[in-house]
Amino acid sequence: AYSPLGSQEGGRDLIHDETVDRIAKKLNKTPGQVLVKWAIQRGTSVIPKSNNPDRIKENMKVFGWELPQEDFQALCNIPDQKRVLHGEQLFVNKNAGPLRSVADVWDHED
């Protein structure tokens, strides 16, 4: 998942979302752990990024516990859960490389 914790730069800042914060406090976890666990629990591949060694260790502590169903559903119901990225700007090199068009980016799986 690209930016699984949200983004302060042009996206949704999920790490400071009140629903995420409430669930994190309830489970004695960090908001980052809750968001990473939510993504894993819903079947999404997640690669959280951090330059902070403590946060990197924290992000790895998402195994051995589950989000309760009601909390999982609350996270699923957060509005605006998307970050629109223009694939052409990020992944396409029209002059060289394997991806020369937006169509080349997607594998057309459902």
Side-chain angles (χ1 to χ4, degrees):
Y2 178 82
S3 195
L5 307 182
S7 172
Q8 294 178 358
E9 299 174 15
R12 178 76 188 269
D13 185 13
L14 294 172
I15 202 81
H16 296 106
D17 183 90
E18 65 184 50
T19 300
V20 174
D21 190 53
R22 177 183 53 79
I23 293 169
K25 286 177 182 171
K26 173 185 165 187
L27 299 176
N28 197 30
K29 304 294 182 189
T30 67
Q33 288 172 317
V34 167
L35 289 167
V36 170
K37 184 62 178 185
W38 172 75
I40 291 170
Q41 203 165 312
R42 68 188 286 265
T44 306
S45 298
V46 182
I47 306 171
K49 176 210 165 277
S50 180
N51 293 322
N52 181 313
D54 291 331
R55 282 198 204 104
I56 294 169
K57 290 175 189 172
E58 184 180 280
N59 288 339
M60 293 298 295
K61 294 179 182 177
V62 295
F63 302 102
W65 60 279
E66 295 288 320
L67 291 167
Q69 187 60 32
E70 66 273 9
D71 295 329
F72 179 81
Q73 281 304 316
L75 294 168
C76 289
N77 292 329
I78 293 175
D80 302 323
Q81 289 192 46
K82 61 183 176 182
R83 183 169 177 190
V84 179
L85 300 172
H86 195 280
E88 190 167 18
Q89 291 173 325
L90 290 174
F91 304 110
V92 173
N93 183 331
K94 292 180 181 181
N95 301 316
L99 305 173
R100 294 184 185 214
S101 73
V102 174
D104 293 337
V105 174
W106 309 112
D107 58 10
H108 303 289
E109 288 185 12
D110 292 333

